Amino acid sequence: MLQLQIYPDGTVVINLNWAISFSADMVMSNFPFDKHTCRMCFMLNQLRPDEATFQIAPFTNNSVTGKVNNEWALVSLHQEVDRDPNGFTAIYFDATILRHPNFWVNLIIIPAYLLGVLVITGLFLGEREEEVEAAIEYGLQVMMSITVIIGILAEGLPKTSTLPMLGYFVLGQLIIVCVAVLFVFVRREIKKVVVFVVSSKQKRKIE
């Protein structure tokens, strides 16, 4: 219901509540630890100042900031009034929003990090042949797991021209695991060659 207040001098005051959808350009390079400032503009460009004017209810950041939903939090909200020389008035709101990174930290960053630590530990602490074989197999499984994580990221991340921070992290984990597996595999093969050469020389000396 629209509420009007009519004063004896003819002034009419209308209180309006709007629910609007607004899109803003976002730089995703720091995803999921990103923060964005979106500017919204409101203007009465069809009415003269003597017909209608804007009045903003006073507010403080503490009264409007906080959790917006499970993904975003409103950090600050600032207002700016621009009065055009021709009499038109525009009001700008600068809303700064901050992403809650808990979902991505718990689902992607921590599992990827733990998988990398486990595979590096298994690869470089195993000495016996069967331990190295098991570590290499485990490393390949971890590479597949990280590939699945990359698939999740590909579906959940917005398509941008630059790779977000989280993408670099997961890609770095995959590269580290690949290098570790290749290193251990090459080291094992070199060890076999060295053992074969040494044993061959010892046999020749015995003969």
Side-chain angles (χ1 to χ4, degrees):
M1 179 182 294
L2 187 62
Q3 295 182 352
L4 301 178
Q5 293 178 344
I6 302 177
Y7 293 90
D9 60 356
T11 302
V12 178
V13 177
I14 306 174
N15 293 321
L16 299 176
N17 295 321
W18 291 327
I20 62 172
S21 297
F22 182 78
S23 61
D25 294 331
M26 295 184 177
V27 179
M28 306 300 296
S29 57
N30 291 328
F31 179 90
F33 306 100
D34 48 333
K35 182 169 66 173
H36 309 278
T37 299
C38 305
R39 166 159 281 207
M40 296 171 284
C41 176
F42 298 90
M43 177 180 291
L44 294 175
N45 56 357
Q46 300 295 329
L47 299 172
R48 299 190 308 273
D50 59 346
E51 295 176 329
T53 58
F54 272 127
Q55 286 187 353
I56 307 174
F59 65 87
T60 62
N61 274 326
N62 293 332
S63 64
V64 297
T65 57
K67 185 177 180 180
V68 177
N69 53 34
N70 291 329
E71 186 175 6
W72 295 100
L74 181 62
V75 178
S76 64
L77 180 65
H78 300 285
Q79 66 181 20
E80 177 185 346
V81 179
D82 183 15
R83 301 189 184 278
D84 188 87
N86 296 324
F88 300 117
T89 301
I91 297 179
Y92 297 92
F93 290 97
D94 293 322
T96 302
I97 56 177
L98 177 68
R99 187 189 304 272
H100 295 299
N102 298 339
F103 173 82
W104 298 98
V105 170
N106 296 329
L107 182 67
I108 303 295
I109 296 178
I110 293 179
Y113 175 76
L114 293 178
L115 287 174
V117 171
L118 288 175
V119 71
I120 296 298
T121 303
L123 286 172
F124 290 99
L125 293 184
E127 293 294 337
R128 293 181 299 177
E129 183 69 19
E130 57 271 15
E131 291 178 349
V132 175
E133 290 285 349
I136 292 177
E137 182 178 355
Y138 179 69
L140 295 176
Q141 293 176 357
V142 170
M143 290 170 57
M144 292 299 297
S145 301
I146 295 180
T147 304
V148 172
I149 293 176
I150 293 177
I152 296 175
L153 288 178
E155 294 180 359
L157 291 181
K159 305 302 182 291
T160 60
S161 58
T162 59
L163 188 65
M165 182 188 302
L166 183 58
Y168 281 113
F169 172 78
V170 176
L171 183 60
Q173 288 289 105
L174 181 60
I175 293 174
I176 290 174
V177 172
C178 290
V179 171
V181 171
L182 289 175
F183 175 80
V184 173
F185 180 78
V186 171
R187 185 185 67 174
R188 186 191 63 175
E189 296 302 317
I190 293 176
K191 185 177 180 180
K192 288 181 179 179
V193 173
V194 172
V195 171
F196 175 77
V197 172
V198 171
S199 61
S200 298
K201 288 183 179 180
Q202 288 178 350
K203 286 181 181 180
R204 289 178 183 179
K205 289 181 180 179
I206 294 174
E207 294 175 356

